[in-house]
Amino acid sequence: LADQLVCDHALFHLEADLRWLELTAARLDQLAAEVAR
């Protein structure tokens, strides 16, 4: 059980990091579009 909990924690942390990276990339795209105007 302890190993499963450790693996779940790592997986959820990686998923959160991925969501943050995707959001950041989208916001940077928006910023680039605004600067290009």
Side-chain angles (χ1 to χ4, degrees):
L1 177 61
D3 288 341
Q4 287 177 329
L5 292 172
V6 169
C7 288
D8 287 344
H9 175 266
L11 178 62
F12 288 128
H13 189 82
L14 289 170
E15 289 175 343
D17 287 345
L18 179 58
R19 285 194 311 270
W20 180 83
L21 288 169
E22 290 171 343
L23 177 64
T24 300
R27 288 184 175 169
L28 288 174
D29 288 343
Q30 289 176 341
L31 178 60
E34 290 178 18
V35 169
R37 283 192 233 167

